[in-house]
Amino acid sequence: MSLEYAPRGLIGVLTPQANTTVEPEFNLLLPLGVAMITARLTSSKSSMTERLADYFASYGDTLRQFANAPIKAVAAACTGASYLAGRDREAMLVKEISTRSGVPFITAALAVVDALKLLRARSVGLVSPYPADLTRASIGYWESHGFEIAKVVEVSASVQGFHPIYEISGVATAQALQSLRDSPLDAIVMLGTGTPTLLPITEAIEWNGAPALSCNLALAWRAVEALDGQSPRSTTLEMWLRGDHWLQQFRVRQQR
């Protein structure tokens, strides 16, 4: 079976209810022949941590929104839920949903883990848009996977509005990333699928420092590997980090 706009494969993407970044970045990142459909993770809870816990608990139910659409992989675009659940609970849920749905289920956090392992990164720097408690939880999560968090730089929106993360600008993220440019790191991760990261990644491509990646880029890369039936490969990761298939499209979009 071949879909008109997805002859290579269709990805189902789960996004937090108010996230305004995942779809635009995925639309720029996904290569020709790959398309996505999305389902919204929802929660009525007032605090961010409670909402993240709800998202994690509802992954399986949210998949039902895709009905019988011929998706070949599912990408859960919510890193915060993984931090709070922890490595073991996340691994169990990923295995359970993958088995039940019959397609690979990939979380953004595990996609970053896969990327860091292929980069042979030990010492990692973080650009964090989170409140202090969630940043601490993220550090514990990365450390549980064997990485050393050597430096953390916070980034925030200049004006507070509907959400403290989704209103952060790409320029602010790029400035935070630049502050880590000369640090002796093996890799830099820009946290949060709601953080705009393509502009800073394009700038990092030009430097000779540590490779910089984001949760959305890692997740999109890992989901495409999965729908191709491949394990994570360093050769394709390097192509994504260089922007081989998406950089020109992003630059054209920026000129509009």
Side-chain angles (χ1 to χ4, degrees):
M1 174 181 182
S2 178
L3 296 175
E4 182 73 18
Y5 298 110
R8 187 172 165 186
L10 183 68
I11 297 170
V13 182
L14 308 183
T15 66
Q17 56 197 17
N19 189 306
T20 55
T21 306
V22 170
E23 288 99 336
E25 292 202 340
F26 264 58
N27 280 326
L28 288 165
L29 286 167
L30 292 178
L32 289 175
V34 178
M36 68 172 182
I37 56 175
T38 61
R40 290 279 161 171
L41 298 160
T42 61
S43 171
S44 61
K45 300 294 175 54
S46 58
S47 77
M48 183 183 298
T49 54
E50 289 178 316
R51 289 195 300 273
L52 291 172
D54 278 357
Y55 297 160
F56 186 86
S58 67
Y59 279 158
D61 289 339
T62 306
L63 283 177
R64 295 174 184 169
Q65 293 182 39
F66 297 134
N68 63 343
I71 55 176
K72 295 176 68 176
V74 177
C78 181
T79 44
S82 295
Y83 306 149
L84 297 179
R87 174 178 178 171
D88 293 340
R89 283 186 63 207
E90 179 186 39
M92 290 176 59
L93 187 66
V94 166
K95 182 178 181 180
E96 175 189 332
I97 294 178
S98 297
T99 300
R100 188 169 68 241
S101 65
V103 297
F105 179 78
I106 303 135
T107 68
L110 285 177
V112 172
V113 169
D114 286 339
L116 291 175
K117 288 181 177 178
L118 288 179
L119 292 170
R120 298 182 180 179
R122 171 65 178 172
S123 178
V124 177
L126 303 178
V127 175
S128 175
Y130 302 134
D133 58 343
L134 194 54
T135 296
R136 287 193 297 271
S138 81
I139 292 172
Y141 177 88
W142 305 122
E143 289 178 342
S144 76
H145 281 279
F147 306 111
E148 175 190 346
I149 304 306
K151 195 164 185 180
V152 179
V153 175
E154 296 180 352
V155 60
S156 60
S158 57
V159 178
Q160 296 301 309
F162 82 100
H163 196 284
I165 293 177
Y166 303 151
E167 292 188 309
I168 296 172
S169 70
V171 172
T173 310
Q175 290 173 344
L177 180 63
Q178 282 284 349
S179 70
L180 294 174
R181 177 174 181 171
D182 297 322
S183 299
L185 301 167
D186 298 322
I188 302 170
V189 181
M190 289 171 282
L191 301 180
T193 62
T195 309
T197 55
L198 296 189
L199 175 64
I201 290 175
T202 62
E203 294 183 359
I205 289 171
E206 305 299 327
W207 74 36
N208 294 319
L213 63 145
S214 70
C215 298
N216 282 338
L217 184 141
L219 182 60
W221 157 74
R222 187 64 185 84
V224 171
E225 293 283 81
L227 67 81
D228 283 343
Q230 298 286 345
S231 298
R233 295 170 292 177
S234 58
T235 51
T236 58
L237 176 61
E238 290 166 4
M239 293 168 61
W240 281 72
L241 292 175
R242 291 195 306 263
D244 285 6
H245 68 275
W246 63 265
L247 181 57
Q248 184 58 38
Q249 182 177 208
F250 173 76
R251 286 175 172 165
V252 169
R253 181 68 61 88
Q254 289 295 99
Q255 292 171 1
R256 294 178 182 175

